[in-house]
Amino acid sequence: RVQRSRLTALAGACALAACGRCCTFTRDTGADACPPAPPALVPGAASHAIKTVFVVVLENQDWSSIAGSPRAPFINGTLLPHFAHAESYRNGGLHPSLPNYIALEAGDGLGVTCDATPTELILPVPCHLATWLEAVGISWKAYQEGIDGKTCPIYDRGLYVARHDPFVYFADVAGAGPSEQGRRCIEHVRPYAELARDLEAGTVARYNFLTPDLCHSGHDSCPPLHDGVRQADAWLERELPAIMASRAWQDGGAILVTWDEGSGDSPIGMIAVSPLAKPGYASTIAYSHASTLRTVQEVLGVEPLLRGAAQATSLSDLFQAYP
């Protein structure tokens, strides 16, 4: 049985006990603290070379299981020869899934140590990427496979799991409740199928977070391939060309493909798929999920940097022109 405890804006700390494990969040202390200054646009941001960012998060593979593997023919035969990737991208030992997704959005795992649901753990944290982007007038959307777009997807349904959708854990997106009727959540967290429509119409956001379902992300073994690595590779082979055919990608777009975690703190993948990426380049610089957040902030011109992003190295080495 899960003991449920909800964070509120007045709470100093919250603990969720599940199967003997402790999942905690402590508000506004240490790494969890908000930067001292409010969000602002960097002067000259409108002239940046990279204009639109797509972040794709796959599941549970060390880079050694992907690089050179015949199970990933599209990655090895198409993406790596034509674009840039990292050889030393690590998640900092964050496990399981949820803290990794939160780190991509907030620059730190915020002390979360288990895969709680939003109804069990909601974060009253106003300083995270989506909220900061809105504050300075930059658009964002999360495209999630397996949701219907009629409600805020705070519950697991079918092949969609909330723990792979970081936005529904923040109270200012999903509500302090949280609520399936959260208007801001429904507006921004949309079914993945709408991405193709938005790309064609030229209405895609400046920042886009793409989450495949449990089969397409490689989390589960699913028919007909029954191979997580091959499933994720096949999904990329099917979906990335549609993004790359769009004006949003061709005119300063960047797709950042990564994995949430591997085993321990082994290197995981990061591939920069962009017209501005260094062709066939392999960077040995040490990166983390905070590096991805820093890169998004620098590209879109939003400062100050959130939590760990301020100390992380950006992904600039993967690009010929940056930001």
Side-chain angles (χ1 to χ4, degrees):
R1 183 181 296 274
V2 175
Q3 175 186 344
R4 295 184 178 183
S5 181
R6 228 174 243 147
L7 288 167
T8 68
L10 299 177
C14 173
L16 169 76
C19 302
R21 295 176 299 164
C22 184
C23 187
T24 63
F25 166 80
T26 303
R27 183 171 180 260
D28 290 339
T29 61
D32 303 330
C34 291
L41 276 176
V42 175
S47 64
H48 286 179
I50 305 172
K51 300 176 177 63
T52 305
V53 180
F54 304 84
V55 172
V56 178
V57 186
L58 304 174
E59 284 288 308
N60 301 353
Q61 295 294 335
D62 292 343
W63 183 235
S64 61
S65 299
I66 305 295
S69 172
R71 299 162 64 199
F74 178 67
I75 291 174
N76 288 286
T78 299
L79 297 186
L80 298 192
H82 292 95
F83 303 105
H85 73 279
E87 292 282 336
S88 188
Y89 185 107
R90 290 175 165 83
N91 76 335
L94 289 175
H95 300 288
S97 285
L98 179 56
N100 289 283
Y101 283 84
I102 290 174
L104 285 164
E105 172 65 10
D108 185 87
L110 300 182
V112 174
T113 57
C114 70
D115 282 337
T117 65
T119 56
E120 297 163 337
L121 186 69
I122 194 75
L123 306 176
V125 179
C127 47
H128 58 97
L129 180 61
T131 290
W132 280 35
L133 293 178
E134 281 190 66
V136 298
I138 295 176
S139 57
W140 71 275
K141 275 191 180 178
Y143 295 95
Q144 304 285 312
E145 278 198 324
I147 69 171
D148 61 14
K150 298 177 181 178
T151 62
C152 178
I154 59 175
Y155 297 106
D156 297 352
R157 287 195 176 96
L159 295 175
Y160 164 84
V161 289
R163 66 181 182 271
H164 297 166
D165 179 1
F167 309 96
V168 298
Y169 286 85
F170 290 89
D172 60 359
V173 174
S179 170
E180 285 189 290
Q181 305 309 314
R183 186 179 66 178
R184 185 180 178 212
C185 175
I186 295 171
E187 178 182 348
H188 290 277
V189 182
R190 303 303 304 161
Y192 180 81
E194 292 184 3
L195 174 61
R197 180 198 67 189
D198 292 345
L199 288 168
E200 184 175 357
T203 57
V204 73
R206 297 282 309 284
Y207 177 62
N208 305 276
F209 193 93
L210 316 183
T211 307
D213 65 27
L214 289 173
C215 288
H216 296 148
S217 67
H219 185 281
D220 291 0
S221 175
C222 301
L225 297 173
H226 297 286
D227 182 328
V229 172
R230 185 67 186 93
Q231 289 160 203
D233 186 80
W235 186 88
L236 292 174
E237 184 175 17
R238 182 174 65 251
E239 300 299 329
L240 291 199
I243 301 174
M244 295 163 67
S246 71
R247 182 174 180 179
W249 183 83
Q250 294 172 3
D251 182 18
I255 308 168
L256 304 178
V257 180
T258 191
W259 282 253
D260 68 331
E261 59 182 327
S263 58
D265 193 22
S266 300
I268 53 180
M270 164 53 71
I271 310 169
V273 182
S274 172
L276 301 173
K278 298 176 181 177
Y281 180 68
S283 176
T284 58
I285 294 174
Y287 300 119
S288 66
H289 287 329
S291 299
T292 298
L293 178 59
R294 178 174 188 139
T295 300
V296 174
Q297 285 198 247
E298 290 182 347
V299 164
L300 299 180
V302 183
E303 60 178 13
L305 297 170
L306 287 160
R307 301 180 182 84
Q311 290 77 46
T313 303
S314 77
L315 302 172
S316 60
D317 186 49
L318 302 180
F319 294 90
Q320 302 176 81
Y322 181 94

